[in-house]
Amino acid sequence: MALITLRRNLYHLSDFRIHGALAALKNHPVNHVRKMVKGRLCPWFPSLQPEPCRVRFHHACCKKFHSDNGDALHPLGEPVFSQAHEWAGPEQNPKSLDEQMFYGRLNDLDSSEDVLRFIGTLQPLPDSLAAEALQRICEVEKKDGNHRLPKGILENGVFQALCVRFEQESPSLSDTALVTALQALSLLYVDPQSNLLLNLVAESRHRVKRGGLEVRSLCILGESLIRLQGPGGETLELIIYQLQREKLETFAPEDIVALYRILQACAEKVDRHQAFLNKINSFSLSVVSNLSPTLMSQMLTALVALDQTQALPLVIKLGKYAVRHIPHFTHEELRKVLEAFIYFGHNDRFFTTALEQHVASLCLTLDPEVISTVMEYCGRKRILSKPIFDAVAETFVGQSEKFSPRQVSELIEPFGKLNYLPPNASALFRKLENLLLTRFDYFPPKTLLKILHSCSLVECHPVNFMAKIFSPYFLQQLQGEESSVDRLSLAQLTQLFLTSVLECPFYKGRKLLPKYQVRSFLTPCCSLETPVDFQLYKSVRIGLIDLLGARMYFASKVLTPYCYTIDVEIKLDEEGLVLPFTIDEDVHKRLALCIDDPKRFSLNSRHLLGKEAIKQRHLRLLGYQVVQIPYYEIEMLKSRVELVEYLQRKLFPHNVGVRWQEG
């Protein structure tokens, strides 16, 4: 981090001498002076009258002081007409300047040089306006992406005079000017050990201990101290304590969000402040409708950092109002909003609709990080949005070189997870294959494995890479410094190997060694299968008992030799008779019942997830007769009799009745 050390040898404002003013008057005729004052001030402050007025001149306080009229820069001690003016009389005193005009003019300036040139014609300003000028310099530099002030600004006489003024006059500054100046300087990475910041911080600490600072000032001061000193300072604790004593009803929406940001910086102490956070979470429900897109994004980010999982009502309401802000979020803000919704498990169909419109219309201009986060959001929430997926596929085909390996993984995985092929699928996976071939070594092993496994879920089998990922070298890289390869990676490798055997019989390359193969894809923590829903299974079980006559004629949760777990298995002999599940001889056909609850489908759809689709494909290739029993068909049955008739049609569509053998 670049730090700015302000020079300590600046001349003090008190060194201004009256002989400088006399010299200036001597060198510049009175009429010339009046004409110059009128020409510089009247365009911005039309209330200034053209008639003669008393003008007092000050000498420049630094060796180099910018001269707005084009005159040469003069060293200290030489006479020069200063750009700092004071007006005598109540209507021409700087304290009575039209602040609204000042702020309007200040906000129209797009460079620090313009800001300094502008305030150089108006000095000395009231401390609040001077602080705002410093704040504007900070905003301009941040907008340009600068992390430190350019050398030309540091050596600018007006800027140096501004800093000297805040350094020497800190005890007499207003609360607003003090905290605004401190905020601006902290954002500009000024050296915390400079006399300027040491004086401002000391004065701020004194006023906090004395009490009486307004909520807005406390919030600004708290965030500035975090940037300068970190979250562990004693003054920051005192600020948080004082904010807790204030009535939340007196906080403006931006103050509430600032309070979240302060507590976010102290996330390791969240338990200490949880009671206060609960109050803020409840009160924030009333301010959500007044939040700007930036404030909304910041609030959600803080809720994530503070792990406020109990604040779901607030998250839901933020999601409701985020819909209208989607076109107005910056790329980074939208990414933060999506990350928060992923974290809290929130989704909203209106938000999804607005997101579809936004991504479909602007996908080619969206940042790759935003695109990958949008896809991650869809994948995590099982949202199969064809407009989003199609737009993202088009973007990747045209701009694949812009995506990092992690972003490529986050973009491709949802296609496999949600079992969706876009209209340009051939171009998409051809582009992906070329990217992997040319940049294979740039992809971390686990990331590469996730991508290839996702491709296999949608039958885009990565045959050209199988020999590489089954090699001892790749497996050693995959293991890294751990004692063994993680369970999920082993499961993905095993399913890829099973795919090469069942769906790619032409593949004759390297095989996966048995020691890297798992026995079951169904595990508690990292499963490639979705466990059967117990309530749905109970309903089906009752119908099966009625249909088959006894519980002994079907088995539940059967682990096959091929790693898949079958929800219900029924064995038939050559004549179509149902065998007891304990008999293994004379089995001619095996029925594999897939009892599919909503978790096995994309959200609010009847589209199977990729891992369920590949399971059913493989079971069929292994000789099973797969019978799908989806939840939406079971829910339509109104009686037990209808359930039995339904199962009869599903299991034995060609038989009028059903027969079974006694065991």
Side-chain angles (χ1 to χ4, degrees):
M1 181 183 295
L3 296 176
I4 301 170
T5 305
L6 296 173
R7 296 191 303 176
R8 300 182 180 181
N9 60 348
L10 299 177
Y11 292 89
H12 298 299
L13 291 172
S14 58
D15 289 339
F16 293 171
R17 295 291 183 261
I18 191 64
H19 66 262
L22 295 173
L25 288 173
K26 182 177 180 181
N27 291 335
H28 297 273
V30 173
N31 290 337
H32 174 72
V33 172
R34 289 177 179 171
K35 183 178 181 180
M36 187 177 299
V37 172
K38 173 183 175 182
R40 289 180 178 171
L41 299 182
C42 287
W44 295 320
F45 300 98
S47 59
L48 296 178
Q49 301 300 319
E51 54 264 29
C53 61
R54 295 169 51 202
V55 181
R56 195 188 318 167
F57 301 94
H58 288 278
H59 208 287
C61 67
C62 304
K63 279 188 176 182
K64 296 181 179 179
F65 195 95
H66 183 77
S67 177
D68 193 45
N69 64 356
D71 293 343
L73 299 175
H74 299 270
L76 188 68
E78 292 185 13
V80 60
F81 174 67
S82 172
Q83 298 170 1
H85 309 285
E86 288 183 1
W87 292 267
E91 294 182 358
Q92 296 172 333
N93 190 286
K95 293 183 181 180
S96 63
L97 292 176
D98 190 329
E99 292 189 5
Q100 186 174 358
M101 284 187 171
F102 174 85
Y103 293 138
R105 173 63 179 168
L106 194 64
N107 291 330
D108 287 340
L109 302 176
D110 295 326
S111 71
S112 298
E113 292 82 359
D114 290 342
V115 173
L116 292 172
R117 189 177 299 114
F118 171 55
I119 65 174
T121 64
L122 302 177
Q123 287 185 357
L125 292 168
D127 56 8
S128 60
L129 301 188
E132 287 295 334
L134 195 60
Q135 181 74 9
R136 181 57 184 166
I137 292 174
C138 169
E139 292 172 358
V140 170
E141 294 300 325
K142 287 291 182 180
K143 183 179 179 181
D144 293 339
N146 296 327
H147 293 292
R148 61 177 181 177
L149 283 175
K151 184 178 179 181
I153 302 300
L154 288 173
E155 295 181 350
N156 185 285
V158 178
F159 178 77
Q160 292 180 343
L162 202 60
C163 293
V164 169
R165 175 179 179 181
F166 284 114
E167 177 184 338
Q168 294 186 343
E169 300 179 8
S170 56
S172 60
L173 296 174
S174 67
D175 292 342
T176 300
L178 177 65
V179 299
T180 301
L182 192 60
Q183 179 188 41
L185 293 169
S186 67
L187 289 170
L188 289 171
Y189 302 111
V190 175
D191 181 5
Q193 300 305 313
S194 65
N195 287 341
L196 171 61
L197 276 180
L198 288 175
N199 285 4
L200 292 177
V201 169
E203 179 60 29
S204 300
R205 185 185 302 114
H206 171 70
R207 297 192 191 188
V208 170
K209 291 181 178 179
R210 187 178 62 193
L213 287 179
E214 295 181 349
V215 167
R216 176 66 54 83
S217 296
L218 286 171
C219 290
I220 295 174
L221 183 56
E223 292 194 271
S224 300
L225 291 178
I226 289 170
R227 284 188 289 269
L228 293 170
Q229 302 175 342
E234 176 185 350
T235 307
L236 181 62
E237 283 294 323
L238 186 56
I239 288 174
I240 295 176
Y241 173 73
Q242 291 185 14
L243 287 171
Q244 291 184 35
R245 297 171 59 186
E246 299 287 342
K247 292 182 179 180
L248 292 177
E249 290 76 9
T250 64
F251 284 55
E254 54 267 31
D255 298 330
I256 291 291
V257 178
L259 187 51
Y260 271 117
R261 292 195 301 262
I262 291 173
L263 294 173
Q264 175 186 349
C266 310
E268 67 280 358
K269 303 176 183 178
V270 64
D271 292 338
R272 187 189 308 175
H273 304 301
Q274 188 57 58
F276 184 39
L277 268 169
N278 291 340
K279 290 176 58 179
I280 302 173
N281 294 338
S282 298
F283 176 76
S284 296
L285 289 166
S286 64
V287 304
V288 167
S289 59
N290 296 320
L291 294 179
S292 67
T294 299
L295 293 178
M296 184 171 290
S297 174
Q298 291 175 352
M299 181 179 285
L300 282 166
T301 301
L303 290 171
V304 171
L306 295 166
D307 190 30
Q308 295 299 288
T309 53
Q310 72 276 25
L312 285 180
L314 177 58
V315 174
I316 292 171
K317 190 165 186 179
L318 285 166
K320 175 183 176 182
Y321 280 90
V323 173
R324 66 183 67 174
H325 292 314
I326 284 181
H328 310 294
F329 285 122
T330 65
H331 290 182
E332 181 66 13
E333 289 167 357
L334 179 58
R335 185 179 69 83
K336 291 291 187 181
V337 169
L338 291 170
E339 287 180 345
F341 289 163
I342 292 171
Y343 183 84
F344 290 109
H346 173 73
N347 69 82
D348 178 275
R349 64 187 180 94
F350 298 106
F351 180 84
T352 301
T353 301
L355 188 63
E356 285 178 344
Q357 297 172 352
H358 183 65
V359 172
S361 61
L362 298 175
C363 198
L364 292 175
T365 61
L366 289 177
D367 185 87
E369 189 68 20
V370 177
I371 293 176
S372 62
T373 306
V374 169
M375 292 300 287
E376 183 184 7
Y377 170 74
C378 292
R380 292 282 191 93
K381 303 309 300 175
R382 298 184 289 114
I383 299 172
L384 178 53
S385 169
K386 294 182 181 181
I388 291 178
F389 280 50
D390 293 348
V392 168
E394 288 287 348
T395 302
F396 183 75
V397 169
Q399 304 178 8
S400 60
E401 68 283 351
K402 294 183 179 181
F403 292 83
S404 69
R406 176 185 58 80
Q407 292 167 348
V408 172
S409 176
E410 292 174 350
L411 184 151
I412 294 296
E413 283 183 64
F415 286 97
K417 180 175 182 178
L418 300 181
N419 187 29
Y420 179 70
L421 288 174
N424 66 337
S426 58
L428 172 66
F429 289 100
R430 191 184 310 115
K431 177 66 71 171
L432 176 63
E433 182 179 14
N434 292 336
L435 181 67
L436 294 179
L437 286 172
T438 56
R439 299 172 58 187
F440 186 87
D441 294 335
Y442 290 94
F443 282 78
K446 288 186 180 180
T447 300
L448 181 64
L449 181 57
K450 288 179 181 178
I451 294 173
L452 298 180
H453 179 258
S454 299
C455 293
S456 72
L457 295 180
V458 287
E459 300 184 79
C460 295
H461 306 302
V463 180
N464 292 337
F465 300 95
M466 285 183 177
K468 291 184 178 182
I469 64 175
F470 295 155
S471 70
Y473 174 72
F474 180 82
L475 295 172
Q476 185 178 8
Q477 285 186 311
L478 193 62
Q479 179 175 332
E481 298 180 356
E482 302 297 327
S483 58
S484 61
V485 180
D486 66 278
R487 181 67 176 70
L488 178 59
S489 296
L490 290 176
Q492 291 171 335
L493 283 168
T494 305
Q495 195 166 52
L496 277 169
F497 175 64
L498 190 58
T499 298
S500 71
V501 175
L502 296 176
E503 301 189 70
C504 308
F506 52 86
Y507 172 73
K508 304 300 180 183
R510 184 181 281 111
K511 309 297 183 183
L512 182 66
L513 296 176
K515 67 177 183 178
Y516 292 107
Q517 299 179 26
V518 299
R519 294 185 64 251
S520 173
F521 292 139
L522 184 62
T523 54
C525 60
C526 45
S527 180
L528 297 186
E529 297 183 72
T530 307
V532 64
D533 180 77
F534 182 67
Q535 294 300 325
L536 187 59
Y537 164 74
K538 280 176 58 178
S539 299
V540 175
R541 182 183 64 182
I542 292 172
L544 286 174
I545 292 174
D546 289 348
L547 175 65
L548 302 179
R551 176 67 179 80
M552 61 183 293
Y553 291 105
F554 63 92
S556 304
K557 300 180 182 178
V558 179
L559 177 61
T560 69
Y562 312 101
C563 308
Y564 291 110
T565 299
I566 299 175
D567 299 333
V568 172
E569 183 184 44
I570 298 175
K571 301 174 182 177
L572 304 178
D573 67 6
E574 191 172 356
E575 296 181 2
L577 300 177
V578 180
L579 300 171
F581 71 83
T582 55
I583 294 179
D584 292 326
E585 299 82 10
D586 301 324
V587 177
H588 179 69
K589 182 183 292 185
R590 296 174 186 266
L591 304 183
L593 276 64
C594 296
I595 305 174
D596 297 328
D597 65 274
K599 292 181 181 178
R600 295 184 178 183
F601 298 87
S602 298
L603 187 67
N604 301 324
S605 81
R606 298 181 179 182
H607 191 84
L608 272 178
L609 297 179
K611 62 182 179 180
E612 303 304 326
I614 193 174
K615 173 182 177 179
Q616 294 188 16
R617 284 203 314 271
H618 285 183
L619 288 176
R620 289 189 181 97
L621 291 171
L622 289 166
Y624 288 89
Q625 179 180 325
V626 176
V627 179
Q628 187 180 8
I629 302 180
Y631 74 96
Y632 51 82
E633 292 180 354
I634 297 293
E635 290 177 348
M636 294 179 65
L637 305 175
K638 300 178 181 179
S639 67
R640 195 160 172 171
V641 173
E642 289 188 6
L643 175 61
V644 174
E645 292 176 350
Y646 167 81
L647 292 174
Q648 167 76 37
R649 293 192 302 271
K650 279 282 187 175
L651 300 180
F652 311 103
H654 304 297
N655 295 346
V656 177
V658 59
R659 297 173 295 165
W660 53 89
Q661 289 187 348
E662 296 293 337

